[in-house]
Amino acid sequence: ANLAAVAASDLAATIPARLEQGLPAALVTRPLPLVGVEFGYGMIWHPRGEASPALRWLRGVVGEVAQDGA
C-alpha cells in the first residue's frame, strides 16, 4: 500500500502495528475497535487451477496460515 496516497487524501487504511514507525507526518494512527472480533476467510479460484499441483499446494499453505492466525 502506498501510504503517501492515503496521507494526501481522505482515505483510511489498516496496517500492521509494526509499520507505524516512519509514517508520513500527515497520518494519524488509532487502534481498531475490533477487540475479540473473529474474521473468517475464503478462497476462490478458476476451475482450470483445480488440478494444478502448484496451485493446490498454494491453497493449502494459505489455508494453514489463515487457520493459525499468522
Side-chain angles (χ1 to χ4, degrees):
N2 186 340
L3 295 177
V6 174
S9 72
D10 60 352
L11 298 174
T14 56
I15 61 170
R18 67 180 182 272
L19 297 181
E20 286 184 51
Q21 294 178 334
L23 288 177
L27 291 177
V28 176
T29 61
R30 302 276 189 265
L32 288 175
L34 302 174
V35 176
V37 175
E38 293 188 24
F39 292 90
Y41 75 95
M43 290 187 278
I44 60 172
W45 55 89
H46 193 279
R48 283 190 308 244
E50 187 69 33
S52 167
L55 293 177
R56 188 174 294 142
W57 170 84
L58 180 61
R59 289 191 299 268
V61 169
V62 170
E64 287 176 22
V65 169
Q67 287 177 346
D68 290 342

